[in-house]
């Protein structure tokens, strides 16, 4: 199997410089802690939807889910479509609540809804889980890069970690969202180039369906069993609904309507693109039937079919996917460390300028810790198994009170704390009992956690201050935002952001065209060159509209 060439590395370096440059440029627009962690509530809903999509699709998809697609086929798409459900539930239930909550971090509301102890327990334990969760993502990225380049795990993790930290530290949430949009373009274009090449290498769709018919069974293998799928969908619904970056996108837009539209567009992305992403790994079973490690299916098919230069762009796209997730996670987790822990526990009267610098330092701290921890993920049985284990043990007990707490008024603080403690203990016992399957153990853990939290509703509330506070909080959640509570949009800033989109898209177009020149004699080179031209045309059109003042924020009704 071939490795990357000099032209591939050049494509990756140019891409990295582009992402770092965007973050450094946006740093000058970040004036306070609200800008840094929630974009001043001015994130456009379309950009927010793209960012929400990108922060859920890392290289983990192209490693862990690709391995399932190679082994069992379409069941990988059946599983990944579980991400559609929380987006739809978010549009129907959570979007308006999180926007009306008036928070800067997802943990902030816990003190109002429950008490300071709950806020601190969930903040500290949540940060610990985020570190574990993102270690898995970095590990998956390292596997991909290691297979493509031969570069060691240590070097690939360090390189990616430095770039993500650099632009996230500088530009905050705006840097996360805008780089997500640019990375979305790179990822989609690169995967769309690979898709027809895969079909051609497989001898056409009819031959593919005839050669590997079992791969196109939506419920093949142990992961296609009804109980497994039901529990997996339930787990993802809980995990995503309480995911900090998922919540952050809801309270970072202008109003409730924008939040709902953002969630619905996210659901559409979650439904459409998994098939495009995973189809090459399914067909790889026919093209490369003797692959030793199924998790290397996607990178193997890329190395086999993509020529020099284009493969570099694909690796850049993998970086794009994972860096989108990590940058979003770094930002929201640093927000919890800054607002919920540093300011709340250590320095309540910290100035806005001080908190901004603490936020940047916390981002650097998280990046360093996750980078080191990623080196040890292999001991947990691979990316998919590690993610599944960490989610079952920690995410479910910590997320259930967070999610149910904003829709149910009666559960008490003791119920939230007991859910975390008992849930983790139950999860440890069930996961260490080999006679109990993962799906049965996870279902039991979910039911136990929900039962404990709901049962606390029947405990008497003796503290009148707590009763009044919760009553006022839920009254706020039911009250639509007034016009004066919505941000006044800065047209000059928005035009600057749109110009930045156009410039970034122009650079991406030039990159695709330049990398395709050595391969213009074959279909992959032509496809890449055409994709580059389309990016240039779109960038030119956007620039023209911006300068004509036709792309402006929507005025308030």
């Amino acid at each position: 199997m071939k490795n990357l060439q000099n032209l591939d590395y050049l494509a990756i370096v140019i891409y990295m410089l582009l992402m770092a440059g965007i973050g450094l440029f946006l740093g000058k627009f970040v004036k306070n802690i609200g800008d840094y962690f929630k974009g001043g509530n001015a994130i456009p809903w379309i950009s927010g939807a793209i960012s929400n999509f990108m922060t859920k699709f890392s290289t983990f998809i192209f490693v862990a889910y690709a391995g399932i697609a190679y082994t069992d086929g379409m069941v990988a798409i059946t599983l990944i479509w579980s991400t559609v459900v929380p987006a739809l539930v978010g549009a129907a239930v959570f979007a308006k609540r999180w926007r009306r909550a008036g928070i800067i971090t997802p943990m902030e509301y816990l003190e109002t809804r429950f008490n300071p102890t709950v806020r601190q327990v969930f903040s500290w334990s949540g940060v610990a889980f985020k570190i574990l969760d993102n270690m898995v993502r970095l590990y998956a990225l390292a596997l991909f890069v290691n297979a493509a380049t031969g570069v060691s795990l240590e070097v690939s993790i360090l390189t990616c970690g430095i770039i993500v930290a650099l632009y996230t530290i500088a530009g905050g949430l705006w840097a996360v969202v805008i780089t997500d949009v640019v990375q979305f373009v790179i990822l989609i274009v690169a995967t769309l180039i690979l898709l027809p090449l895969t079909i051609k290498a497989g001898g056409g769709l009819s031959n593919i369906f005839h050669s590997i018919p079992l791969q196109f069974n939506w419920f093949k293998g142990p992961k296609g069993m009804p109980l497994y799928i039901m529990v997996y969908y339930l787990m993802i619904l809980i995990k995503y609904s309480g995911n900090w970056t998922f919540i952050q996108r809801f309270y970072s837009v202008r109003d409730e309507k924008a939040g709902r539209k953002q969630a619905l567009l996210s659901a559409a992305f979650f439904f459409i693109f998994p098939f495009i992403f995973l189809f090459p790994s399914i067909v790889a079973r026919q093209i490369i039937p003797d692959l030793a490690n199924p998790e290397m299916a996607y990178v193997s098919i890329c190395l086999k079919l993509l020529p020099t230069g284009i493969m570099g762009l694909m690796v850049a796209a993998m970086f794009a996917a994972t860096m989108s997730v990590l940058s979003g996670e770094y930002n929201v987790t640093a927000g919890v460390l800054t607002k919920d822990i540093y300011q709340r526990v250590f320095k309540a009267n910290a100035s806005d300028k001080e908190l901004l610098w603490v936020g940047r330092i916390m981002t650097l701290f998280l990046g360093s810790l996750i980078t080191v921890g990623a080196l040890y993920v292999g001991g947990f049985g691979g990316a998919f198994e590690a993610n599944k284990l960490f989610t079952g043990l920690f995410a479910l007990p910590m997320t259930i009170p967070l999610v149910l707490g904003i829709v149910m008024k009666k559960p008490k603080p003791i119920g939230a704390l007991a859910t975390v403690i008992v849930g983790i203990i139950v999860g440890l016992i069930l996961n260490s009992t080999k006679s109990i399957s993962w799906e049965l153990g996870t279902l039991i853990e979910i039911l136990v956690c929900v039962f404990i939290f709901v049962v606390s509703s029947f405990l008497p509330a003796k503290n009148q201050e707590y009763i009044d506070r919760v009553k006022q909080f839920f009254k706020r959640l039911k009250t639509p935002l007034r016009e004066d509570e919505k941000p006044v949009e800065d047209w000059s800033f928005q035009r600057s952001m749109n110009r930045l989109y156009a410039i970034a898209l122009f650079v991406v177009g030039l990159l695709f065209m330049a990398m395709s020149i050595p391969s213009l004699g074959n279909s992959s080179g032509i496809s890449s060159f055409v994709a580059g031209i389309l990016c240039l045309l779109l960038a030119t059109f956007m620039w023209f509209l911006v300068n004509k003042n036709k792309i402006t924020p929507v005025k308030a009704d």
Side-chain angles (χ1 to χ4, degrees):
M1 187 167 62
K2 64 181 181 180
N3 288 327
L4 299 187
Q5 304 300 313
N6 290 335
L7 190 62
D8 297 313
Y9 290 115
L10 178 62
I12 294 171
V13 170
I14 294 173
Y15 163 77
M16 293 294 189
L17 291 175
L18 175 63
M19 294 299 102
I22 290 173
L24 294 173
F25 171 77
L26 289 169
K28 70 178 184 179
F29 293 101
V30 177
K31 305 301 182 184
N32 55 60
I33 198 71
D35 290 341
Y36 194 74
F37 289 126
K38 62 176 182 177
N41 296 117
I43 302 297
W45 66 270
I46 295 177
S47 299
I50 293 174
S51 179
N52 195 27
F53 171 75
M54 289 297 290
T55 53
K56 303 297 173 291
F57 279 82
S58 66
T59 310
F60 180 81
I61 302 299
F62 300 96
V63 174
Y65 280 95
I68 298 172
Y70 181 88
T71 304
D72 295 320
M74 297 289 275
V75 70
I77 298 174
T78 302
L79 292 175
I80 208 171
W81 271 344
S82 60
T83 54
V84 176
V85 180
L88 294 176
V89 173
V93 179
F94 295 113
K96 61 183 180 181
R97 285 179 167 83
W98 287 121
R99 182 60 186 90
R100 292 170 184 171
I103 56 177
I104 292 180
T105 75
M107 297 290 99
E108 189 177 341
Y109 103 97
L110 289 175
E111 184 164 344
T112 302
R113 172 61 184 85
F114 297 111
N115 59 33
T117 301
V118 171
R119 180 180 182 178
Q120 288 305 307
V121 168
F122 277 71
S123 296
W124 287 96
S125 58
V127 168
F129 170 70
K130 286 295 179 183
I131 291 171
L132 292 173
D133 201 30
N134 290 309
M135 282 162 40
V136 177
R137 294 187 173 99
L138 257 184
Y139 171 78
L141 176 61
L143 283 178
F144 189 96
V145 175
N146 176 256
T149 66
V151 174
S152 67
L153 286 172
E154 294 83 358
V155 173
S156 60
I157 288 173
L158 182 62
T159 302
C160 183
I162 290 173
I163 297 297
V164 178
L166 180 62
Y167 72 73
T168 309
I169 289 168
L173 183 59
W174 270 109
V176 172
V177 171
I178 290 180
T179 51
D180 280 350
V181 174
V182 176
Q183 291 164 341
F184 174 79
V185 173
I186 294 175
L187 179 63
I188 298 306
V189 172
T191 50
L192 285 175
I193 290 171
L194 180 63
L195 189 62
L197 296 176
T198 304
I199 295 173
K200 182 180 178 181
L205 288 175
S206 59
N207 185 62
I208 291 170
F209 293 145
H210 178 74
S211 301
I212 47 174
L214 293 179
Q215 295 299 91
F216 296 96
N217 183 336
W218 295 92
F219 304 100
K220 179 189 173 187
K223 292 181 176 64
M225 295 295 101
L227 179 62
Y228 190 100
I229 292 174
M230 182 192 74
V231 173
Y232 193 83
Y233 268 63
L234 184 59
M235 181 187 77
I236 294 298
L237 172 61
I238 295 170
K239 181 182 178 181
Y240 275 32
S241 296
N243 183 281
W244 291 357
T245 58
F246 198 77
I247 294 170
Q248 185 189 44
R249 297 304 178 271
F250 286 135
Y251 62 69
S252 299
V253 294
R254 187 171 188 267
D255 55 25
E256 304 97 318
K257 185 178 179 181
R260 286 194 296 271
K261 290 192 290 187
Q262 173 185 267
L264 290 172
L265 184 56
S266 298
F269 288 151
F270 289 141
F271 182 78
I272 294 169
F273 289 111
F275 183 84
I276 297 172
F277 292 163
L278 293 178
F279 189 77
S281 297
I282 295 172
V283 182
R285 184 61 177 266
Q286 176 194 348
I287 301 172
I288 317 172
D290 55 349
L291 194 60
N293 183 359
E295 289 194 335
M296 291 298 97
Y298 199 90
V299 67
S300 299
I301 199 72
C302 288
L303 288 168
K304 185 175 183 66
L305 300 180
L306 293 178
T308 300
I310 310 304
M311 183 60 201
L313 292 176
M314 179 57 75
V315 173
M318 297 303 102
F319 272 107
T322 300
M323 288 166 67
S324 292
V325 179
L326 293 174
S327 61
E329 294 283 355
Y330 287 5
N331 180 260
V332 72
T333 309
V336 172
L337 284 169
T338 303
K339 289 288 294 180
D340 298 290
I341 295 177
Y342 177 79
Q343 185 182 31
R344 190 67 184 84
V345 177
F346 298 105
K347 198 170 183 182
N349 61 346
S351 67
D352 212 47
K353 184 177 180 181
E354 179 181 346
L355 290 176
L356 181 57
W357 277 106
V358 170
R360 286 172 166 153
I361 292 170
M362 291 300 181
T363 304
L364 177 62
F365 165 74
L366 286 168
S368 302
L369 197 58
I370 290 167
T371 299
V372 173
L375 301 174
Y376 300 95
V377 171
F380 292 96
F384 187 83
E385 293 303 319
N387 178 268
K388 195 173 69 174
L389 175 64
F390 293 155
T391 297
L393 286 178
F394 305 110
L396 295 177
M398 291 186 295
T399 300
I400 287 171
L402 178 69
V403 173
L404 296 184
I406 204 167
V407 295
M408 299 176 66
K409 183 190 298 186
K410 293 185 178 181
K412 306 301 187 299
I414 187 65
L417 294 173
T419 299
V420 173
I421 296 170
V422 176
I424 292 176
I425 292 173
V426 170
L428 286 169
I429 294 172
L430 292 172
N431 276 277
S432 61
T433 305
K434 295 183 179 181
S435 59
I436 299 177
S437 66
W438 169 82
E439 52 267 38
L440 180 60
T442 301
L443 181 60
I444 292 171
E445 183 181 6
I446 291 172
L447 293 175
V448 168
C449 290
V450 172
F451 176 79
I452 291 172
F453 186 71
V454 173
V455 162
S456 71
S457 302
F458 300 100
L459 298 176
K462 300 178 181 179
N463 187 328
Q464 189 60 43
E465 186 273 333
Y466 165 78
I467 296 172
D468 294 340
R469 187 175 72 243
V470 173
K471 183 179 180 181
Q472 284 299 117
F473 176 72
F474 276 89
K475 182 179 179 181
R476 188 200 316 169
L477 296 183
K478 292 180 180 179
T479 306
L481 292 174
R482 302 186 309 271
E483 198 59 40
D484 62 333
E485 294 178 304
K486 302 175 185 179
V488 177
E489 294 168 311
D490 185 341
W491 290 20
S492 175
F493 174 71
Q494 293 286 357
R495 281 193 293 270
S496 296
M497 296 304 100
N498 286 318
R499 288 192 182 102
L500 184 59
Y501 281 136
I503 293 171
L505 196 57
F506 191 83
V507 174
V508 169
L510 290 178
L511 189 58
F512 271 97
M513 292 173 67
M515 293 299 109
S516 66
I517 290 174
S519 308
L520 286 177
N522 55 51
S523 57
S524 61
I526 295 173
S527 299
S528 180
F529 194 84
V530 171
I533 291 176
L534 292 176
C535 288
L536 291 183
L537 292 175
L538 180 57
T540 303
F541 180 67
M542 288 183 63
W543 185 267
F544 174 77
L545 288 183
V546 170
N547 289 336
K548 288 290 184 179
N549 294 321
K550 292 183 179 179
I551 294 184
T552 56
V554 178
K555 292 183 180 180
D557 296 332

